[in-house]
Amino acid sequence: MVPTGTYGSWPSPIDADLAASHDGHPEYVGVIGDEVWWTAPRPAEGGRRALMRRRADGGEESVLPAPWNVRSRVIEYGGQPWAGAERETGGPLVVFVHFADQRLYAYEPDVPGAEPRPLTPVSAVGGGLRWVDPQLCMDRGAAGEVWCVLEEFTGADPTDVRRVIVAVPLDGSAAGDRAAVRELSDGAHRFVTGPQVSPDGRRVAWIAWDHPRMPWDGTEVILADIDAEDGTFRAPSRLAGEVDEAVAQVDWTADGQLLFAGDRSGWWNLYRADPRGETVAASLCSRPEEFGGPLWKIGLRWFHPLDNGLVAVIHGSGTTALGILDPEMGEVVDSAGPWTEWAPTLAVHGDRVVGVAASPRSAYEVMELDTGTGHTRVIGSAHDDPVDPAFYPEPQIRVFTGPDGRDTHAHIYPPHNPGHIAPADELPPYVIWAHGGPTGRAPLVLDLEIAYFTSRGIGVAEVNYGGSAGYGREYRDRLREQWGVVDVEDCAAVAVALAEEGTADPRRLAVRGGSAGGWTAAASLTATDVYACGTVMYPILDLAAWATGETHDFESRYLESLVGPLAAYPDRYRDRSPAHQAERITAPFLLLQGLDDVICPPVQCERFLERMAGRGIPHAYIAFEGEGHGFRRAETVARALEAELSLYAQVFGIDRDDVRRLEFTK
């Protein structure tokens, strides 16, 4: 007979250390010769990103030991941090960005005794010199070059910065000489992606945009000629994209056609452009689905042309699939399998497509699709069940009705534990999870942090509130000037609906989020009385301060679309900010913050806590040294999970003696 225990009190083999050890997932796949390469998280090694290779014989290994950390900081969120090629003499040459100093390095791992050698200099100005989205051009210059994006700080402020496409010599001559880095683009735009060179080497395309737009608001495809003498980009012109059309990716086909993913139809669909810049063809596959996504990192890929004229595409609405598009027929054939989320990274090797995918029963893995046979298999970072899969939650895809009758998408994870059931007359507590971004999305995948709670008897509801990506531009635009309103209302609507239908205990509802989700969680505590408590992680709490110097350049004008111009709506900035509405908070909360966070800096939390002091509301603040925006170290993630569980145990009246008690301040 299955034991009976109150919700939230069930024992679980998924402890905080286990959940933390599986934090993060593989990214940035590529092919060098016959090998597949990618980056992978190492939470137990200080949260570094390791560079991995899968040899032709199937062996998988880390290319560089700790403390090498393959991760870029361009626009703070980074992007494609490495590129590689097969040397004529045999063996791979790889260039990569090392997180600690942000320099580009070259490395030949198969050369005995070889060590990474720096290719770029350092700078003491502001945030220094940073690099992202490298492309190896072995036939350029005396010894080959790396073409990439340079982010160069020109002063001490976060917005004292310029970005330009450059050529870095592979011979190391620029390692101590900024003047040896040649600028290829004209620096006419604030933001640029890496260069995509045409198959004949004569033309180049990239994506650009300027403040106050974010890349999901409007971007431009820039097309230019490549000077045969020095490689600089001549006569750049806009080929596609507008202020109100967001192009997420651009690439060339083998026969010299230009493809791009744009949302002119209201959905990110795939288009073919005339490389002469005269006309743009209709969508290659017109569907109410996304064939692209928000460009939060430089170098993300949702499609990849194959040499035979077909195109590998990641597409879907809410969830995503990997398919092969026939551009002439406008038809897509999807790969078979259980995967519900394909990360925006793709590589092609002959008739094989490499990507990263996950499902509700498996974490992200490196996958390979054989387009000839249609067979998909795991080739790297293979999922290995650390516990009996019976402890994993079974998600439900739901659509709720919010204010004004609008649809709100959510994934519901009911409490689940094969060894325990709750009393028949008890309803479970639920935590509403608000994702970051806010132009982001909660993917439908196995997450041991969710299982940490559901296996103990606490339900989780991930809400893709209005403004989330993955459901078309109209859904994204619901949040325009409504941040702190629509997101708060949609999360509350899901919570109330779960309570009204008898799924959740209305007295034991919580809200939780990080970054923009931290804003939504904190704003929810000030604007509603739905929640008994909340967990707020590395949040935005003071809109006016965040808009006037307390964040990085990439998002420094983001609030103009999310809230409205500060000069026009100062009251709106004040009235929606939790830091200015602290007196409205009556529920206990946990606040978690990284002390090295430059996106949502600790000062936001500190001012908020000053206003909460002495109000008699139980709250706890835990700040983590060495952590930035989003926690990466295993010990941090574990401590945060345990503190969150203790919050719920104390507020919801759950008896647990297996977790460190969180101490509150009032």
Side-chain angles (χ1 to χ4, degrees):
M1 185 174 180
V2 179
T4 299
T6 59
Y7 284 114
S9 67
W10 304 338
S12 170
I14 305 173
D15 62 19
D17 289 335
L18 179 64
S21 69
H22 288 72
D23 191 57
H25 63 80
E27 292 181 299
Y28 306 118
V29 295
V31 174
I32 304 178
D34 293 326
E35 299 180 349
V36 175
W37 292 51
W38 66 94
T39 67
R42 292 291 180 265
E45 298 176 20
R48 77 181 185 102
R49 300 288 304 189
L51 185 61
M52 307 294 296
R53 68 191 289 191
R54 182 186 188 272
R55 294 186 177 272
D57 62 6
E60 181 180 323
E61 63 186 43
S62 177
V63 178
L64 294 160
W68 292 106
N69 187 355
V70 182
R71 178 182 160 208
S72 170
R73 282 189 63 183
V74 168
I75 69 168
E76 292 301 343
Y77 294 112
Q80 178 74 37
W82 74 275
E86 192 79 12
R87 295 177 301 126
E88 290 185 0
T89 55
L93 168 68
V94 62
V95 297
F96 66 92
V97 179
H98 179 44
F99 181 75
D101 58 15
Q102 287 299 289
R103 301 175 83 180
L104 266 180
Y105 287 80
Y107 182 45
E108 296 171 279
D110 292 351
V111 174
E115 294 288 339
R117 53 185 177 85
L119 299 179
T120 56
V122 294
S123 171
V125 178
L129 303 175
R130 301 174 179 179
W131 318 82
V132 75
D133 208 3
Q135 314 282 330
L136 277 174
C137 301
M138 305 298 287
D139 58 347
R140 298 279 180 178
E145 295 178 334
V146 186
W147 287 13
C148 60
V149 175
L150 163 63
E151 181 177 76
E152 181 173 26
F153 284 80
T154 58
D157 292 338
T159 53
D160 293 336
V161 63
R162 60 190 295 268
R163 299 174 187 90
V164 65
I165 300 173
V166 299
V168 177
L170 279 171
D171 62 10
S173 57
D177 183 8
R178 166 64 179 85
V181 176
R182 295 186 303 113
E183 298 192 5
L184 303 177
S185 64
D186 57 12
H189 295 278
R190 187 76 167 193
F191 302 95
V192 293
T193 64
Q196 298 295 321
V197 179
S198 63
D200 62 9
R202 298 172 59 184
R203 310 204 79 184
V204 63
W206 66 95
I207 297 172
W209 70 97
D210 291 288
H211 283 317
R213 285 174 286 158
M214 298 301 288
W216 41 87
D217 296 327
T219 61
E220 299 176 8
V221 176
I222 307 298
L223 185 66
D225 297 320
I226 299 177
D227 188 281
E229 296 294 326
D230 62 7
T232 55
F233 303 160
R234 302 297 187 189
S237 61
R238 184 185 66 83
L239 176 69
E242 291 283 356
V243 172
D244 57 356
E245 178 187 2
V247 175
Q249 185 195 335
V250 62
D251 205 351
W252 298 86
T253 64
D255 61 355
Q257 300 178 77
L258 198 61
L259 303 182
F260 68 90
D263 69 348
R264 61 181 56 187
S265 70
W267 296 84
W268 272 301
N269 281 186
L270 203 57
Y271 294 82
R272 178 168 48 210
D274 180 348
R276 294 169 297 180
E278 296 175 359
T279 60
V280 176
S283 172
L284 298 182
C285 183
S286 182
R287 292 187 181 184
E289 295 182 5
E290 306 284 34
F291 287 73
L295 200 62
W296 277 103
K297 299 179 180 181
I298 305 298
L300 299 182
R301 276 186 173 272
W302 291 269
F303 69 87
H304 201 305
L306 281 71
D307 290 343
N308 60 10
L310 302 177
V311 184
V313 293
I314 295 170
H315 70 106
S317 176
T319 60
T320 57
L322 173 64
I324 301 299
L325 167 66
D326 183 336
E328 304 308 319
M329 301 297 293
E331 297 178 351
V332 178
V333 177
D334 287 340
S335 59
W339 303 286
T340 50
E341 188 71 20
W342 288 79
T345 179
L346 289 172
V348 166
H349 182 216
D351 59 357
R352 298 175 184 269
V353 179
V354 180
V356 173
S359 79
R361 307 296 291 177
S362 59
Y364 287 94
E365 305 168 283
V366 180
M367 313 296 299
E368 180 185 74
L369 167 64
D370 184 330
T371 60
T373 65
H375 178 65
T376 305
R377 62 176 181 144
V378 178
I379 62 169
S381 291
H383 171 76
D384 182 19
D385 291 312
V387 298
D388 185 341
F391 286 91
Y392 299 161
E394 295 288 346
Q396 304 168 1
I397 301 176
R398 298 279 304 273
V399 180
F400 295 86
T401 300
D404 302 322
R406 61 178 183 253
D407 290 343
T408 299
H409 298 270
H411 303 148
I412 308 303
Y413 296 85
H416 174 72
N417 185 310
H420 288 79
I421 59 173
D425 60 350
E426 184 186 4
L427 291 175
Y430 260 81
V431 184
I432 305 299
W433 284 28
H435 63 71
T439 309
R441 178 170 58 86
L444 186 69
V445 299
L446 176 63
D447 184 340
L448 289 187
E449 291 190 26
I450 292 177
Y452 175 78
F453 293 104
T454 58
S455 63
R456 285 167 169 75
I458 299 174
V460 171
E462 287 191 301
V463 181
N464 283 320
Y465 47 80
S468 300
Y471 304 95
R473 180 149 189 156
E474 183 179 352
Y475 197 85
R476 292 202 315 273
D477 283 348
R478 285 185 190 176
L479 210 58
R480 294 190 71 85
E481 298 195 6
Q482 295 298 309
W483 197 36
V485 179
V486 165
D487 50 325
V488 169
E489 290 177 346
D490 286 357
C491 287
V494 172
V496 170
L498 291 174
E500 290 181 344
E501 70 185 23
T503 297
D505 184 343
R507 298 165 301 174
R508 296 193 293 174
L509 296 170
V511 63
R512 178 244 219 205
S515 188
W519 154 269
T520 300
S524 296
L525 295 179
T526 68
T528 77
D529 59 0
V530 170
Y531 307 105
C533 62
T535 300
V536 180
M537 300 178 289
Y538 37 93
I540 300 164
L541 296 168
D542 184 340
L543 292 175
W546 203 75
T548 53
E550 284 188 2
T551 192
H552 60 145
D553 182 62
F554 176 58
E555 294 179 276
S556 61
R557 305 280 296 277
Y558 195 5
L559 296 185
E560 292 187 29
S561 60
L562 289 175
V563 183
L566 175 58
Y569 303 105
D571 292 348
R572 188 183 291 175
Y573 276 65
R574 181 188 63 251
D575 294 344
R576 293 187 192 173
S577 293
H580 293 282
Q581 306 299 328
E583 72 280 357
R584 297 183 180 178
I585 296 180
T586 59
F589 64 87
L590 167 64
L591 187 58
L592 303 168
Q593 176 68 41
L595 291 177
D596 292 346
D597 193 340
V598 298
I599 297 173
C600 295
V603 65
Q604 291 254 324
C605 291
E606 293 162 4
R607 283 199 303 268
F608 174 65
L609 291 170
E610 288 176 1
R611 295 183 172 103
M612 288 299 304
R615 291 198 53 243
I617 306 302
H619 62 276
Y621 177 53
I622 305 176
F624 298 98
E625 293 185 1
E627 290 284 9
H629 194 67
F631 303 146
R632 294 175 177 271
R633 298 178 177 181
E635 59 270 25
T636 302
V637 176
R639 176 72 181 101
L641 282 173
E642 290 178 342
E644 186 177 357
L645 179 59
S646 180
L647 169 71
Y648 303 148
Q650 294 184 59
V651 174
F652 295 157
I654 299 169
D655 184 18
R656 298 204 71 98
D657 58 6
D658 59 346
V659 64
R660 186 190 319 178
R661 184 178 176 83
L662 183 66
E663 298 299 328
F664 292 115
T665 300
K666 293 186 178 181

